[in-house]
Amino acid sequence: RAASDPAINFQYAESCAIRNSEILMTGNDAIVFNNTKNCDVSGNYIHDIGAVGVKLDSDWLDGEVRYTGNTVNNNYIKNVGILKRESSGIVLKNVDYGTVMYNHVESTPRMAILIGTGYMASSFIGQIKRGKKVTVENQFDFVNCIGNVIAYNDVSDVMTDSQDGGAIYSWGSGKNNQI
């Protein structure tokens, strides 16, 4: 395995789960679900991690909803970003209609929870996407990371090595997320 690989990595999976496990001392991310549907990360103790604790990620989809229903619930995530200081406890990138609830996240160099796309919707204005011209009025129709729920999480001792972020941080996310 390469040092850049996560400890656990699911790609294009559906209805898979990591539950009630301990994941520790990884050189990179602990758990990554990439391009997945209805997958669950719950009841885990994730600590002393080189980069991100749990990452839900998908390929950029130009606003098409495909990767939905993933959950990150009731995990204890502590001391992440040991090697990659830009890391967060939980990351949702380009995923739709997921839940992040009842987690305890502590001791992170940046955000406890990051949600977004990594780009701003306004960067598409004037472009043609899916056969339509992107305007100020419709720009969010072409952005993923929509309809997610982030609630009842306990975060502490975060942003210890950064001045750009927040305990729960949204960057370039789409519509109807609830935090």
Side-chain angles (χ1 to χ4, degrees):
R1 293 176 48 111
S4 61
D5 289 342
I8 300 171
N9 188 16
F10 284 83
Q11 301 257 352
Y12 299 98
E14 188 167 347
S15 301
C16 294
I18 303 293
R19 295 186 183 125
N20 304 317
S21 299
E22 181 178 14
I23 299 142
L24 67 152
M25 301 172 77
T26 65
N28 200 14
D29 301 331
I31 300 171
V32 174
F33 280 86
N34 190 34
N35 300 314
T36 61
K37 287 182 182 181
N38 303 317
C39 292
D40 178 50
V41 178
S42 64
N44 300 290
Y45 179 35
I46 301 165
H47 61 98
D48 301 307
I49 303 300
V52 174
V54 178
K55 183 186 296 180
L56 304 179
D57 197 358
S58 75
D59 300 332
W60 179 66
L61 298 173
D62 206 7
E64 292 181 39
V65 175
R66 290 191 199 155
Y67 303 112
T68 64
N70 297 298
T71 60
V72 181
N73 296 331
N74 200 33
N75 297 285
Y76 181 24
I77 301 170
K78 178 180 180 180
N79 202 23
V80 300
I82 294 171
L83 300 175
K84 294 185 176 181
R85 302 302 291 168
E86 70 279 6
S87 300
S88 302
I90 300 169
V91 173
L92 282 78
K93 185 176 177 199
N94 290 326
V95 294
D96 303 323
Y97 302 104
T99 61
V100 175
M101 298 175 68
Y102 301 105
N103 298 286
H104 179 90
V105 183
E106 67 177 82
S107 301
T108 66
R110 288 205 79 201
M111 289 71 78
I113 301 169
L114 170 63
I115 177 173
T117 59
Y119 55 85
M120 301 304 289
S122 60
S123 64
F124 301 130
I125 294 173
Q127 297 179 24
I128 304 297
K129 300 284 183 188
R130 292 186 314 208
K132 296 180 184 175
K133 185 173 183 175
V134 181
T135 66
V136 171
E137 293 78 21
N138 73 3
Q139 64 184 316
F140 286 100
D141 295 341
F142 301 93
V143 176
N144 293 100
C145 214
I146 60 172
N148 295 288
V149 175
I150 299 172
Y152 310 110
N153 297 286
D154 179 22
V155 299
S156 61
D157 195 28
V158 299
M159 297 296 296
T160 60
D161 193 25
S162 181
Q163 296 177 359
D164 178 21
I168 299 174
Y169 189 74
S170 174
W171 181 42
S173 58
K175 298 188 265 187
N176 301 320
N177 292 298
Q178 298 175 37
I179 298 174

